[in-house]
């Protein structure tokens, strides 16, 4: 396990949910790596809780596919599989294309300025080489596009997939070779939104997601 687990206690949430969210974030952010065992006693000691909320959290993580139960070994962080990745990115691609279509129709000059500002933050994060900062800046860049859609239901659906998308986004961005590609793609996305060309905008976004898929497949097959 990388670093120490930190539990953000929320007085409005049951302890089991706080523990679940803590472990979930640790897995999605790469602090707990694929294949790493989830030892109930050890985790309980680290988080200062009993084993019961740990056990309940592990069950929920298993239902989400983030944890698998191995006979005679117990729970461990699930490995990223090509099938799971393709399933998530297939859905993401469809939603992102729709977001681009709606954004082209609704975009304002103020929102374009926000997107360009978000891209400057992304480029600065690339220079810093801090992976988490790069990922968070990339997330924000896309959030600005979603806001352009003026479609609350679409944003709600995308947000429900946010954490699953985060895991693959993180894996892709860990490869420094992708950074210059991402900068170029972001600039193309901005250009097409400025032109409000729906067909080309959707095509650029489709390629953006497809490149992520290819990059992760390459990593998985190493």
């Amino acid at each position: 396990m990388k670093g120490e687990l930190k539990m953000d206690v929320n007085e409005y949430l049951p302890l089991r949910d706080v523990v679940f969210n803590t472990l979930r974030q640790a897995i999605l952010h790469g602090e707990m790596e694929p294949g790493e065992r989830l030892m109930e006693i050890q985790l309980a000691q680290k988080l200062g809780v009993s084993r019961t909320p740990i056990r309940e959290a592990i069950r929920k993580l298993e239902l989400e596919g983030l944890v698998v139960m191995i006979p005679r070994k117990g729970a461990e962080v699930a490995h990223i599989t090509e099938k799971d990745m393709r399933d998530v990115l297939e859905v993401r691609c469809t939603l992102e294309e729709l977001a681009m279509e709606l954004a082209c129709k609704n975009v304002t000059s103020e929102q374009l300025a926000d997107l360009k500002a978000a891209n400057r933050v992304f480029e600065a994060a690339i220079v810093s080489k801090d992976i988490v900062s790069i990922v968070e800046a990339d997330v924000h860049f896309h959030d600005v596009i979603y806001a352009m859609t003026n479609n609350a239901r679409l944003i709600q659906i995308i947000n429900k997939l946010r954490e699953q998308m985060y895991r693959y986004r993180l894996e892709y961005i860990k490869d420094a070779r992708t950074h210059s590609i991402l900068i170029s793609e972001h600039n193309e996305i901005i250009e097409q939104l400025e032109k409000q060309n729906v067909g080309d905008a959707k095509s650029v976004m489709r390629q953006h997601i497809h490149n992520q898929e290819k990059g992760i497949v390459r990593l998985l097959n190493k």
Side-chain angles (χ1 to χ4, degrees):
M1 187 184 299
K2 298 175 182 177
E4 292 296 322
L5 284 176
K6 292 181 180 178
M7 191 165 66
D8 184 14
V9 178
N10 185 324
E11 60 181 310
Y12 299 107
L13 284 178
L15 183 59
R16 63 177 180 275
D17 291 341
V18 175
V19 171
F20 167 72
N21 289 334
T22 300
L23 296 180
R24 190 172 190 261
Q25 289 300 310
I27 292 170
L28 290 169
H29 290 228
E31 294 163 19
M32 299 177 74
E33 298 182 334
E36 184 172 337
R37 293 184 65 189
L38 280 73
M39 311 290 288
E40 288 182 16
I41 295 175
Q42 184 185 54
L43 289 171
Q45 290 173 342
K46 280 182 176 290
L47 296 178
V49 299
S50 71
R51 292 174 64 181
T52 300
I54 299 291
R55 193 175 300 120
E56 291 172 345
I58 288 173
R59 288 198 198 100
K60 287 182 68 177
L61 291 167
E62 184 184 11
L63 291 174
E64 283 202 347
L66 292 175
V67 165
V68 292
M69 299 302 295
I70 308 296
R72 295 184 297 278
K73 286 183 66 178
E76 66 178 42
V77 178
H79 288 270
I80 292 175
T81 70
E82 189 171 328
K83 175 66 166 62
D84 287 342
M85 180 271 297
R86 288 189 189 280
D87 286 350
V88 170
L89 293 188
E90 190 174 72
V91 175
R92 181 188 172 191
C93 188
T94 300
L95 295 173
E96 295 265 10
E97 283 189 56
L98 176 57
M100 286 293 278
E101 180 177 345
L102 296 175
C104 279
K105 295 174 181 177
N106 297 307
V107 65
T108 66
S109 57
E110 292 81 6
Q111 288 172 323
L112 277 171
D114 289 343
L115 190 62
K116 289 176 182 178
N119 201 38
R120 287 194 292 271
V121 172
F122 177 78
E123 291 176 348
I126 292 283
V127 173
S128 77
K129 298 183 180 180
D130 182 274
I131 297 301
V132 173
S133 294
I134 298 170
V135 174
E136 296 296 342
D138 186 53
V139 169
H140 179 62
F141 178 86
H142 284 266
D143 280 345
V144 176
I145 296 172
Y146 305 151
M148 293 177 186
T149 68
N150 291 334
N151 188 316
R153 289 289 177 266
L154 175 60
I155 294 170
Q156 184 181 53
I157 291 168
I158 290 173
N159 283 339
K160 286 183 178 178
L161 275 175
R162 181 179 294 272
E163 299 297 356
Q164 293 180 57
M165 294 191 297
Y166 191 101
R167 195 180 193 197
Y168 302 116
R169 192 180 239 129
L170 180 71
E171 291 303 314
Y172 183 57
I173 288 175
K174 280 180 182 176
D175 184 353
R177 292 172 296 179
T178 68
H179 297 175
S180 60
I181 296 170
L182 285 166
I183 290 172
S184 175
E185 289 171 349
H186 280 197
N187 288 327
E188 286 184 49
I189 288 168
I190 293 170
E191 181 181 342
Q192 296 308 324
L193 284 169
E194 282 185 307
K195 292 178 179 177
Q196 294 182 284
N197 186 322
V198 172
D200 287 348
K202 291 172 70 174
S203 177
V204 166
M205 183 59 77
R206 189 184 312 119
Q207 189 61 48
H208 182 56
I209 307 301
H210 183 57
N211 283 343
Q212 184 180 127
E213 182 178 313
K214 287 195 300 183
I216 297 171
V217 168
R218 183 174 62 244
L219 294 172
L220 291 175
N221 292 331
K222 268 188 176 181

